[in-house]
Amino acid sequence: MDKVSFLHPAFLLLLVLLPIAGLWLYRKRKKYSTTLTMSSLNGLESNLSWRARLKPYLIVLRLLALSLIIIALARPRTVDISNQTKTTRGIDIVMAIDLSSSMLAKDLNPTRMEALKIVADRFVDNRPNDRIGLVVYAGEAYTKIPVTTDKALIKQAISELQYDPTVQDGTGIGMGLATAINRLKESKAKSRVIILLTDGVNNAGFIEPETAADLAREYGIKVYTVGLGSNGMAPFPVEMSPNGTLIYQNMKVVIDENLMKSIAKKTGGRYFRATSNSRLEQIYDEINQMETTEIEELKYYDFDEKYRPFVVLGLVLLVVELLLRQTLYRSII
């Protein structure tokens, strides 16, 4: 039987005694049979009827019946287990992503922006029980997706991230952080987190990053800051050719790490530097591990008892054996 368990498996040990009982019954069989003593059987032919030949096998019926009853006592049953998870302490997360033209730099493969999109998509997959929102910023900032449990919507928005030349260029870190705070300040989640990513220095917007950090601390929002870009020189887009392709030029990578560290320290977060694709993946994995959500798993067990057929069949075999001994085989020598 597939997936059968026993409530009282110790009863199955009694099956070991059945061969001993069978041997004992076989040796005692003559006690229950009528015997005739003769000085010699020479000249007599053995002509046992089929009933007489089958009588010893009544012992088999009894042993089989006992086996079935023992199995019934062990309570065989199948179980159907269903799981239900319940998020007991959820987290609201907003990813604030820099979309300035420098995100098209090619020091990550194939560009900073494309590398980030792959990692951010995987991060969303690893947070199935949390709400996630998306804020983007360059010279100005706006909410692309409010915090939501719709992971498909978030993943689609991430896949559509791209530099928009019609939007004012620049890096408004303070604007991006303030916009993300605005999405979380009314949240009732047990933990509220912002992952602020940039690849440059604050040079746009009318909100100072330090002011936005103070605001995050006041609301109890933790900010993890990520500086994206290799050390030294990197190919940056500097202009667009007449045919619409970008022209790249090697330029020095500059990230205001002191500012990013200060924001993280004020809010109880951490600063990370992503200098390669692999390091960027590691950073998001570390954040994922640090910000864990408590999950309550409920298991429901549906037992289907299987002992009844064994009891019924065992009793039937005992009754059959008793009837045969008291009727058909009562006068058999």
Side-chain angles (χ1 to χ4, degrees):
M1 292 179 290
D2 187 30
K3 296 182 180 179
V4 174
S5 61
F6 294 90
L7 181 61
H8 306 297
F11 278 107
L12 296 177
L13 295 175
L14 295 176
L15 294 174
V16 179
L17 301 177
L18 290 183
I20 300 174
L23 182 60
W24 181 81
L25 290 173
Y26 179 77
R27 290 184 175 180
K28 293 290 185 179
R29 71 188 188 283
K30 293 183 179 181
K31 180 179 178 181
Y32 304 101
S33 302
T34 303
T35 59
L36 178 63
T37 304
M38 301 181 66
S39 60
S40 175
L41 296 178
N42 293 332
L44 296 177
E45 294 183 1
S46 176
N47 191 22
L48 294 177
S49 67
W50 63 269
R51 287 192 303 161
R53 294 179 185 277
L54 291 178
K55 185 177 181 181
Y57 292 99
L58 293 180
I59 296 175
V60 176
L61 287 180
R62 184 179 304 181
L63 294 177
L64 184 57
L66 290 174
S67 300
L68 293 171
I69 292 173
I70 289 172
I71 294 174
L73 289 173
R75 291 284 296 276
R77 59 186 182 173
T78 58
V79 58
D80 179 27
I81 303 176
S82 58
N83 295 329
Q84 181 178 347
T85 58
K86 177 183 178 182
T87 303
T88 57
R89 304 187 68 191
I91 298 176
D92 280 357
I93 301 172
V94 171
M95 293 187 289
I97 296 176
D98 186 347
L99 287 189
S100 59
S101 60
S102 58
M103 285 293 288
L104 299 177
K106 294 184 176 181
D107 48 351
L108 272 72
N109 186 31
T111 65
R112 293 175 179 177
M113 187 175 299
E114 292 304 316
L116 171 64
K117 287 162 67 172
I118 294 172
V119 173
D121 183 88
R122 194 180 70 174
F123 179 81
V124 172
D125 286 334
N126 291 332
R127 312 295 303 190
N129 302 295
D130 299 316
R131 299 198 308 167
I132 298 178
L134 183 62
V135 166
V136 295
Y137 66 94
E140 55 193 45
Y142 64 92
T143 300
K144 191 169 182 67
I145 300 291
V147 285
T148 178
T149 57
D150 190 343
K151 299 305 188 294
L153 183 63
I154 290 291
K155 288 165 64 71
Q156 180 181 348
I158 290 173
S159 68
E160 294 172 353
L161 291 178
Q162 59 182 353
Y163 167 66
D164 186 353
T166 64
V167 176
Q168 179 185 349
D169 200 7
T171 305
I173 296 174
M175 295 292 291
L177 180 55
T179 304
I181 293 169
N182 193 49
R183 305 315 310 181
L184 289 176
K185 65 181 182 179
E186 303 297 334
S187 168
K188 303 300 181 184
K190 71 98 180 178
S191 182
R192 295 170 294 173
V193 173
I194 294 173
I195 303 175
L196 177 67
L197 181 140
T198 187
D199 67 343
V201 298
N202 185 67
N203 57 19
F206 55 86
I207 299 178
E208 291 298 322
E210 293 286 3
T211 302
D214 291 335
L215 189 62
R217 179 175 59 186
E218 182 179 340
Y219 281 112
I221 299 172
K222 186 186 297 183
V223 182
Y224 291 102
T225 54
V226 180
L228 182 62
S230 60
N231 295 311
M233 307 293 287
F236 283 83
V238 292
E239 60 179 312
M240 187 172 291
S241 65
N243 63 4
T245 60
L246 292 171
I247 299 175
Y248 283 81
Q249 180 180 331
N250 278 340
M251 299 175 62
K252 184 175 177 58
V253 176
V254 180
I255 298 175
D256 193 345
E257 292 192 286
N258 290 331
L259 172 62
M260 303 300 280
K261 291 177 181 177
S262 176
I263 293 173
K265 185 177 180 180
K266 276 187 178 182
T267 60
R270 280 183 57 187
Y271 168 68
F272 302 90
R273 179 66 185 272
T275 57
S276 65
N277 292 62
S278 60
R279 180 56 187 149
L280 182 62
E281 293 177 6
Q282 292 173 7
I283 289 169
Y284 274 79
D285 287 341
E286 288 181 45
I287 296 174
N288 182 53
Q289 292 171 8
M290 286 188 290
E291 294 297 328
T292 57
T293 301
E294 294 184 9
I295 304 298
E296 179 183 1
E297 183 176 22
L298 302 176
K299 285 190 175 183
Y300 298 92
Y301 296 85
D302 182 17
F303 292 101
D304 185 11
E305 298 288 350
K306 301 294 186 181
Y307 69 89
R308 295 179 183 84
F310 293 96
V311 172
V312 172
L313 184 55
L315 292 177
V316 168
L317 292 179
L318 284 177
V319 171
V320 169
E321 189 217 4
L322 180 61
L323 290 176
L324 289 175
R325 287 189 183 278
Q326 297 300 320
T327 56
L328 192 60
Y329 290 99
R330 188 168 184 175
S331 60
I332 294 294
I333 297 179

